[in-house]
Amino acid sequence: SLIQASAEARRKRNIVDGGRVYAPYPFFRDSTVGISDDVYDITDSLEVRTGLTGLHWYGGALRLRGHAVIEGVDTADVRTQVVLRAADGVEHPVPVDPVSTPRLTKRLGKGTYDYDHAGFAAIIEPATVADGGPLPEGRWQLWLTVSYQGIARRVRLTDGEGAVAET
């Protein structure tokens, strides 16, 4: 039954292949049945869970710490970047350093997914973040681009009110 298949799929790991994520339902890629991969594709429905564990000014720089989890995808081949975005669409990417997050595997991965490498730390220096020059005056939103195994998402970092840096 469909209900039984759904319950069994929740106990199995999603299948990541070619930048797409597929639900582990019966008959996936079974050539005798011939069901299209599109039926199993859940890539666009995956949620991203973020958390800021640190956000403070220190020595003229904004320091961020946090994590981002693409639900149902192991944190392998992680590529994360903080992006400052102005209202007019101008963006300035900020590299991040990886931070180990083994507790997320237990809390969010529920023993199925490895989220040990979901953490990040970034230092935003307004004096040099705009291609080596100062950040122009205005309101800037903090966004996070996160990618695991070729599955990429961009989300706005918020503190409940909306994370906005102003210079």
Side-chain angles (χ1 to χ4, degrees), residues 27-143:
F27 307 114
F28 177 67
R29 292 191 175 156
D30 183 331
S31 61
T32 62
V33 178
I35 300 172
S36 169
D37 284 1
D38 293 346
V39 173
Y40 297 87
D41 192 332
I42 58 171
T43 308
D44 296 334
S45 67
L46 298 175
E47 293 188 26
V48 178
R49 288 182 173 223
T50 61
L52 280 176
T53 56
L55 176 66
H56 64 276
W57 288 96
Y58 182 81
L62 181 63
R63 296 178 182 262
L64 303 170
R65 283 182 70 89
H67 66 269
V69 168
I70 301 173
E71 290 189 334
V73 180
D74 287 332
T75 55
D77 190 25
V78 176
R79 300 182 196 290
T80 303
Q81 186 177 63
V82 169
V83 178
L84 289 169
R85 182 189 292 174
D88 63 4
V90 171
E91 294 184 348
H92 296 291
V94 178
V96 303
D97 292 320
V99 174
S100 179
T101 53
R103 291 184 181 151
L104 288 180
T105 293
K106 185 175 182 180
R107 193 176 90 218
L108 299 177
K110 299 179 179 143
T112 303
Y113 296 100
D114 175 358
Y115 297 144
D116 285 1
H117 306 288
F120 64 88
I123 299 173
I124 300 171
E125 297 186 46
T128 59
V129 74
D131 300 321
L135 191 64
E137 288 187 23
R139 292 176 57 88
W140 294 85
Q141 296 175 346
L142 293 172
W143 288 76

